[in-house]
Amino acid sequence: MIVNSSIVLISAVLASLVVGVLLGYGVCMAMFAIFRMHAKKVAAVNTARRVVAPIQAIPS
């Protein structure tokens, strides 16, 4: 019975470790996706400012 209990305990620890790693991976991928969206938004705003600023500087 000791061998069976050890196998169950080791399996439970490994399963818990796998779940934790997959959860951490999912959180990291979600945060990188959010960061990527934010970076694209900031880049678009900066590009728009560079295009609009020279147009507004032209005297009428």
Side-chain angles (χ1 to χ4, degrees):
M1 281 308 225
I2 293 174
V3 174
N4 288 339
S5 297
S6 296
I7 291 173
V8 170
L9 180 62
I10 291 170
S11 297
V13 168
L14 289 176
S16 176
L17 191 63
V18 167
V19 169
V21 168
L22 290 176
L23 184 64
Y25 177 77
V27 168
C28 285
M29 295 308 288
M31 293 303 292
F32 278 118
I34 291 169
F35 180 71
R36 191 178 305 115
M37 286 188 293
H38 174 70
K40 285 182 181 180
K41 180 180 176 186
V42 170
V45 168
N46 288 341
T47 302
R49 283 184 185 161
R50 276 184 276 164
V51 170
V52 171
I55 294 172
Q56 290 176 345
I58 298 173
S60 305

